[in-house]
Amino acid sequence: VLGALRLEGRVVTGGPLPSAAGTGSSILSALQDLFSITWLNRSKVEKQLQVISVLQWVLSFLVLGVACSAILMYTFCTDCWLIAVLYFTWLVFDWNTPKKGGRRSQWVRNWAVWRYFRDYFPIQLVKTHNLLTTRNYIFGYHPHGIMGLGAFCNFSTEATEVSKKFPGIRPYLATLAGNFRMPVLREYLMSGGICPVNRDTIDYLLSKNGSGNAIIIVVGGAAESLSSMPGKNAVTLRNRKGFVKLALRHGADLVPTYSFGENEVYKQVIFEEGSWGRWVQKKFQKYIGFAPCIFHGRGLFSSDTWGLVPYSKPITTVVGEPITIPKLEHPTQQDIDLYHSMYMEALVNLFNKHKTKFGLPETEVLEVN
C-alpha cells in the first residue's frame, strides 16, 4: 500500500520507492560491470592478436619456404600439376628480381598485423640525425639476436613509421640469399623490401637505383647469433670489413645502428668453444650460411611454458649519425681499416650515449669481438 504523509508542507513517500531507487542502482552497477568486462575481454583479444602476429612471422621465417617447396612438389603429382608448372616457369623468368631490389609493396608494409607485432614487445625506432635523400647509405645493424626481430619490424614494415621519420629514404633489409630460392617465401620477403645480402644486389642498389637507398646489413650474421643471450651486449665486428669496402666503392655513408633489447627476447643454449655442439654450428655456418641455434621463448597461451613465441621484452633501435664516406673505386686496405675503425668507435659511442635510457647501467660495456 502506497502511503503519503504530509509533514510541515513536505510529502514523505514510502513503500516501493526505495526499492525503485535500488533497482536503478543495480542496473547502473550491472552496466558498469558489463563495460568493464567488455574492456577486459578486448584487452585479452588484442594481446592474443599480438601473440599470433608474432608467431606467424616466426613460423614464416622458420618453415614457410620448406613447407611451400614440399607442397609444390606434391602438387606435381596431383591433378593440379599445371599450377606448379606455371609457377616454376614464372619463377625462372623472375629469378633475378630479388637482386634488383625485389617488389616492394606499401600495402603489405602497412598491414595492421605489423602494428600488433610492434606492440607485443613493444618495438621502437629512434632517429638521432636526418638523412639526406641525395646520398645512399649502409646501415650496420647490431646485434643479430636470434632472428633480428627489431630489424624486420623497423625496416621491412611501416609499423614504426620509418618512411615518416626518414622521408625520401628507401630501406632494404638484407638477409640470406638462400631464402630467395624458396618459392612463396621469396615473394613474402620481397613485398617488405627485403633483399639478398650479396655483392650483386648491393652493387645494383647503390649504383643503378638512384639515391636515397638505405641497405640494412646485420653485420655480425650467424656468428653473432651464436652468442645471443639475455643480459649480453656483444657484437661480432672487429674482422667484419666487407661492408666498409662496399661503402667506399660506392661512396655510401655508413650508419651505426644498435638495437637495445634484441638479445632479450629468446633464451639460447650456448655451446662452449671446442664442444661438439659448437663444431656442428660452425660447420653449418661455413657451408650453408646460417648457424642452427637451440633456443626457446614462451608458449602460445602462457608465458610460463616454453615455445617459439619470443618473450615480450622492449626492443629499441637507435639509428646513429651517418659517417660520410668518399667514393673510392679501388680502396686500399689502409682506407678500409681507417673507416672501419671510425665505424667501430661511432658504434661504441652510440651504445654508451643511449644505454642508460633503455635500462642498462652506466657501467655496462659493449663487447666488440
Side-chain angles (χ1 to χ4, degrees):
V1 177
L2 263 196
L5 298 176
R6 187 175 302 277
L7 296 175
E8 298 179 355
R10 291 176 296 173
V11 176
V12 180
T13 60
L17 291 182
S19 175
T23 302
S25 299
S26 299
I27 293 173
L28 180 61
S29 177
L31 287 173
Q32 289 176 337
D33 291 342
L34 179 62
F35 287 132
S36 175
I37 292 171
T38 301
W39 177 86
L40 182 62
N41 286 341
R42 182 179 179 182
S43 176
K44 288 183 177 180
V45 168
E46 286 190 351
K47 189 61 181 178
Q48 286 303 317
L49 287 174
Q50 291 170 8
V51 172
I52 292 169
S53 69
V54 174
L55 182 61
Q56 68 83 23
W57 167 247
V58 171
L59 293 178
S60 297
F61 181 84
L62 294 176
V63 302
L64 180 62
V66 174
C68 289
S69 298
I71 291 171
L72 280 171
M73 294 304 295
Y74 171 76
T75 305
F76 271 118
C77 304
T78 68
D79 294 337
C80 299
W81 59 269
L82 184 58
I83 295 175
V85 169
L86 289 174
Y87 179 82
F88 278 111
T89 301
W90 175 79
L91 193 61
V92 170
F93 289 99
D94 193 60
W95 191 253
N96 289 324
T97 298
K99 297 179 181 179
K100 297 180 180 180
R103 281 184 297 273
R104 180 187 304 265
S105 168
Q106 286 302 116
W107 176 65
V108 173
R109 287 174 61 89
N110 282 286
W111 277 354
V113 67
W114 307 132
R115 293 192 290 275
Y116 287 111
F117 184 102
R118 172 200 64 197
D119 293 340
Y120 171 79
F121 295 93
I123 295 175
Q124 182 182 5
L125 179 65
V126 177
K127 169 187 173 180
T128 62
H129 291 79
N130 292 325
L131 299 181
L132 299 175
T133 58
T134 55
R135 301 285 294 175
N136 284 324
Y137 301 91
I138 292 180
F139 285 32
Y141 183 91
H142 313 269
H144 184 286
I146 297 295
M147 295 184 187
L149 295 169
F152 168 76
C153 184
N154 284 310
F155 301 112
S156 295
T157 79
E158 293 297 329
T160 55
E161 300 185 329
V162 61
S163 295
K164 292 182 180 179
K165 291 178 180 178
F166 298 103
I169 301 298
R170 294 181 299 276
Y172 293 89
L173 177 60
T175 188
L176 290 175
N179 288 326
F180 297 90
R181 301 187 186 103
M182 299 286 189
V184 182
L185 175 63
R186 68 193 293 274
E187 327 301 338
Y188 194 27
L189 296 177
M190 285 193 292
S191 67
I194 302 177
C195 66
V197 60
N198 56 36
R199 179 172 171 175
D200 290 343
T201 304
I202 296 173
D203 283 344
Y204 179 88
L205 291 174
L206 294 180
S207 63
K208 299 179 181 179
N209 201 44
S211 60
N213 302 290
I215 302 174
I216 297 88
I217 300 177
V218 186
V219 177
E224 195 170 85
S225 68
L226 296 179
S227 62
S228 172
M229 59 184 295
K232 186 171 185 178
N233 289 284
V235 297
T236 301
L237 177 60
R238 202 169 295 279
N239 295 317
R240 299 292 176 104
K241 301 180 180 181
F243 72 106
V244 178
K245 184 177 181 179
L246 284 169
L248 285 166
R249 289 180 61 244
H250 295 285
D253 295 347
L254 290 172
V255 183
T257 305
Y258 196 85
S259 226
F260 294 90
E262 185 72 63
N263 285 342
E264 307 299 317
V265 297
Y266 278 114
K267 295 179 181 179
Q268 180 183 187
V269 177
I270 303 294
F271 294 101
E272 298 294 331
E273 289 292 339
S275 65
W276 68 269
R278 182 53 65 104
W279 179 84
V280 170
Q281 288 176 324
K282 287 188 173 181
K283 289 298 181 183
F284 266 82
Q285 178 188 339
K286 180 178 180 180
Y287 294 109
I288 301 180
F290 75 94
C293 302
I294 299 178
F295 64 92
H296 73 84
R298 50 156 288 183
L300 177 59
F301 300 106
S302 172
S303 58
D304 297 325
T305 58
W306 287 9
L308 290 175
V309 180
Y311 294 105
S312 55
K313 303 291 184 180
I315 299 175
T316 305
T317 303
V318 183
V319 179
E321 181 178 4
I323 302 169
T324 303
I325 303 294
K327 185 174 182 178
L328 303 174
E329 189 172 347
H330 301 289
T332 65
Q333 189 61 48
Q334 186 177 3
D335 295 325
I336 296 170
D337 291 341
L338 171 63
Y339 287 98
H340 182 264
S341 63
M342 290 173 61
Y343 179 87
M344 285 199 300
E345 182 181 359
L347 179 64
V348 172
N349 290 340
L350 180 71
F351 177 85
N352 290 335
K353 183 177 180 180
H354 294 275
K355 60 185 178 183
T356 57
K357 299 177 185 177
F358 305 115
L360 297 179
E362 186 65 43
T363 55
E364 184 73 18
V365 176
L366 178 62
E367 181 183 331
V368 181
N369 300 314

